[in-house]
């Protein structure tokens, strides 16, 4: 019997882990229990959630600083509770955002070089508005300086970080938001939630465009938008706690196009999609495996699997403009271990040293296609693409200067008056609340009494009707 082998230029992709001396050692990775990837990367830097005392912190490590990090490595301090997630601005490699348990979002400028005795970096901007911890931050793929933040107060906020203001609030989740992903032009946002629902939002209208039942397991679920197509990939667990990979049509979430069983391990699966090669990478927390699939005609074809003995606590992929084109490196991941960050290169073997245009089509660049104002006015645009044939070189640092209006500083007397007024208003508010509660209780009691009276009235009416019908029946019997 002859077996048909599907032709694919990515059939022989293999992953290689970097040697120890070009890894990043002596990393104190955060031990917080929040379900996050722990790490983000851009073509110049890696950010990692750091285990620090005295509030939350994270570190930003240049790609060039390989080897063992010093014990007093400069940390980005400013949060008063552990940092849960970070993300780099795709249009300014020196700007990074962070979300924390202190319910704040902070924006930071990365120095080109750390000073010799520098111990910490302070934030440029603090964004307050969420009522509870901020678990996810994600920059817009097309509009400049637009950031989405998801909180356990069950809302997603869209920020204009240049002006330091909230531009939109997205509501509709019934439980904690577990992951979110923008579509290709950033007009829609897909989310997974602890209520086991998969949703697609029109972010500017605060409207749920599609909603459907996602993975039915109780553990974490993730979603990733598959490039220019109206397709979503989700990872999660079945009712029997099997790990699953589902493929969805974003315009109809009634049921998945395809559902694939992965295995019975307990770690959350982290999906990453490469728009240029149409490859989906799926990495499991707590194991050392990274599976990769190729998408074609609503099918996910399994290609191969990268296996390592050391388990990964988190993973991220560098943007395509940061890969080594000359080595036919189609993707590069950064794997978080207990104290080590390891680069993993995914390579297509080719004999020729020439530029492989079939492997590296034009990819998303570092120029924004829209301003924040244009995006919130309703304009859409696809990302600006760049050609990698001549190689990509990062631009010089572009200073990020927020145009936030500073709040006037109050004198001690004004501050005391403000505090006393605040205490009085708070006391008055509490009194009003207690009065309202008392009235609500009274209303409920009156409603119960009214229901009893209605029952009694209906019983009396029935009895009266029965009495009226009784003489008629007696007369009929005598006749």
């Amino acid at each position: 019997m002859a077996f048909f082998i599907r032709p694919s230029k990515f059939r022989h992709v293999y992953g290689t882990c970097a040697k120890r001396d070009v890894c990043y050692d002596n990393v104190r990775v955060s031990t917080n229990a929040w379900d996050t990837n722990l790490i983000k990367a851009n073509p110049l830097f890696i950010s990692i959630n750091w285990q620090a005392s005295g509030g939350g912190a994270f570190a930003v490590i240049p790609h060039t600083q390989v080897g063992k990090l010093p014990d007093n490595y400069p940390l980005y301090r400013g949060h008063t509770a552990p940092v849960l997630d970070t993300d780099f601005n795709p249009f300014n490699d020196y700007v990074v955002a962070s979300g924390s348990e202190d319910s704040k979002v902070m924006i930071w400028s990365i120095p080109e070089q750390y000073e010799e005795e520098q111990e910490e970096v302070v934030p440029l901007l603090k964004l307050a508005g969420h009522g509870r911890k901020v678990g996810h931050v994600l920059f817009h793929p097309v509009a400049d300086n637009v950031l989405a933040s998801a909180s356990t107060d069950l809302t997603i906020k869209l920020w204009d970080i240049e002006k330091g203001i909230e531009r939109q609030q997205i509501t509709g989740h019934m439980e904690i938001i577990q992951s979110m992903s923008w579509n290709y032009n950033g007009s829609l946002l897909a989310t997974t939630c602890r209520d086991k629902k998969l949703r697609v939002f029109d972010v500017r209208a605060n409207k749920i465009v599609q909603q459907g039942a996602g993975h039915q397991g109780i553990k974490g679920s993730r979603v990733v938008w598959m490039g220019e197509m109206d397709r979503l990939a989700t990872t999660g667990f079945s009712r029997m706690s099997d790990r699953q990979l589902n493929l969805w049509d974003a315009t109809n979430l009634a049921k998945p196009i395809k559902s694939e069983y992965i295995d019975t391990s307990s770690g959350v699966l982290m999906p990453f999609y490469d728009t240029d090669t149409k490859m989906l990478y799926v990495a499991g927390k707590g194991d050392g495996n990274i599976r990769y699939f190729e998408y074609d005609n609503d099918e996910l074809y399994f290609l191969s699997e990268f296996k390592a003995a050391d388990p990964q606590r988190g993973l991220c992929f560098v943007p395509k403009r940061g890969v080594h084109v000359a080595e036919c490196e189609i993707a590069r991941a950064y794997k978080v271990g207990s104290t080590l960050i390891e680069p993993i290169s995914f390579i297509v073997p080719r004999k020729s040293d020439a530029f492989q245009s079939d492997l590296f089509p034009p990819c998303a660049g570092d120029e924004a296609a829209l301003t924040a104002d244009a995006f919130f006015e309703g304009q859409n645009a696809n990302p600006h693409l760049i050609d990698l044939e001549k190689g990509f070189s990062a631009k010089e640092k572009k200073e990020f200067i927020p145009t936030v209006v500073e709040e006037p500083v109050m004198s001690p007397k004004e501050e005391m008056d403000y505090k006393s007024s605040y205490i009085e208003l708070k006391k008055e508010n509490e009194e009003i609340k207690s009065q309202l509660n008392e009235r609500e209780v009274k209303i409920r009691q009156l409603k119960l009494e009214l229901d009893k009276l209605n029952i009694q009235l209906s019983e009396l009416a029935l009895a009266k009707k029965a009495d009226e019908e009784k003489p008629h029946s007696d007369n009929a019997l005598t006749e």
Side-chain angles (χ1 to χ4, degrees), residues 10 13-16 272-274 277 279 281 292 316-320 322-325 327-334 343-348 359-360:
F10 303 111
V13 170
Y14 64 95
T16 55
F272 304 90
Y273 184 71
D274 184 348
T277 59
M279 284 176 64
Y281 299 85
Y292 36 103
C316 74
F317 278 76
V318 75
K320 185 55 69 77
V323 301
H324 301 303
V325 174
E327 298 170 14
C328 291
E329 181 187 60
I330 57 166
R332 184 164 74 254
Y334 287 93
I344 301 168
S345 293
F346 292 91
I347 294 168
V348 177
L359 299 181
F360 300 101

Side-chain angles (χ1 to χ4, degrees), residues 38-294:
L38 295 169
I39 186 170
K40 285 286 174 71
N42 72 5
L44 297 178
F45 303 101
I46 302 163
S47 71
I48 179 79
N49 297 0
W50 202 267
Q51 183 64 26
S53 57
F58 68 99
V60 175
I61 308 164
H63 287 314
T64 52
Q65 191 164 351
V66 294
K68 189 175 181 180
L69 298 178
D71 292 331
N72 59 344
Y73 194 78
L75 298 179
Y76 288 63
R77 293 183 182 273
H79 289 288
T80 56
V83 173
L84 301 180
D85 196 22
T86 58
D87 195 29
F88 288 101
N89 188 336
F91 311 117
N92 187 342
D93 289 333
Y94 291 88
V95 172
V96 64
S98 62
S100 165
E101 274 191 8
D102 63 6
S103 78
K104 300 284 192 302
V105 176
M106 295 190 185
I107 310 299
W108 314 72
S109 178
I110 304 165
E112 289 185 88
Q113 195 169 358
Y114 295 119
E115 293 174 17
E116 201 167 311
E117 298 297 322
Q118 188 170 359
E119 290 188 1
E120 63 180 58
V121 179
V122 293
L124 276 180
L125 191 62
K126 296 181 182 182
L127 303 172
H130 283 296
R132 298 182 68 186
K133 62 185 174 186
V134 179
H136 306 281
V137 287
L138 189 63
F139 273 100
H140 196 275
V142 173
D144 199 11
N145 296 323
V146 175
L147 177 72
S149 62
S151 167
T152 54
D153 64 7
L154 313 185
T155 66
I156 297 172
K157 292 184 186 292
L158 300 187
W159 307 88
D160 181 340
I161 65 167
E162 188 179 17
K163 296 175 182 172
I165 57 172
E166 177 191 328
R167 296 294 295 265
Q168 179 66 283
Q169 178 171 282
I170 300 162
T171 56
H173 294 94
M174 300 295 110
E175 283 281 353
I176 290 169
I177 300 152
Q178 294 177 323
S179 72
M180 56 183 179
S181 179
W182 292 103
N183 71 339
Y184 189 64
N185 66 4
S187 60
L188 301 173
L189 185 71
T191 65
T192 56
C193 181
R194 198 179 280 177
D195 64 7
K196 302 173 187 176
K197 291 279 198 301
L198 175 62
R199 296 177 176 88
V200 175
F201 287 88
D202 179 344
V203 291
R204 287 168 293 201
N206 186 19
K207 180 183 174 186
I208 298 175
V209 179
Q210 282 291 327
Q211 180 173 299
H215 299 274
Q216 295 305 299
I218 58 170
K219 293 183 183 175
S221 176
R222 301 284 186 91
V223 63
V224 65
W225 207 293
M226 300 179 71
E228 298 176 69
M229 301 169 292
D230 288 328
R231 296 290 180 268
L232 298 167
T234 61
T235 57
F237 293 81
S238 69
R239 282 195 178 90
M240 303 300 291
S241 294
D242 298 327
R243 295 202 291 191
Q244 292 178 324
L245 170 63
N246 285 1
L247 180 67
W248 303 80
D249 180 355
T251 60
N252 180 13
L253 299 181
K255 64 176 184 177
I257 297 168
K258 185 179 177 64
S259 184
E260 192 155 318
Y261 164 83
I262 300 294
D263 57 25
T264 55
S265 295
S266 59
V268 172
L269 289 170
M270 301 174 282
F272 304 90
Y273 184 71
D274 184 348
T275 306
D276 306 308
T277 59
K278 294 187 178 178
M279 284 176 64
L280 179 69
Y281 299 85
V282 179
K285 276 191 175 186
D287 57 58
N289 304 336
I290 303 173
R291 299 169 176 85
Y292 36 103
F293 304 79
E294 186 178 4

Side-chain angles (χ1 to χ4, degrees), residues 398-449:
K398 181 173 69 175
E399 285 297 335
F400 175 70
I401 304 167
T403 57
V404 182
V405 179
E406 291 286 334
E407 290 183 7
V409 179
M410 291 187 287
S411 66
K413 187 178 180 301
E414 287 173 330
E415 195 170 345
M416 285 294 291
D417 292 342
Y418 172 78
K419 281 182 179 176
S420 61
S421 302
Y422 172 76
I423 290 163
E424 284 175 17
L425 284 168
K426 193 175 179 183
K427 191 178 177 183
E428 191 178 332
N429 192 28
E430 291 298 326
E431 286 174 3
I432 291 166
K433 275 185 180 177
S434 64
Q435 287 173 11
L436 282 170
N437 287 333
E438 286 172 10
R439 286 179 184 179
E440 280 178 6
V441 170
K442 199 169 183 180
I443 287 164
R444 280 199 291 270
Q445 287 172 348
L446 289 168
K447 277 184 178 178
L448 287 169
E449 287 177 17

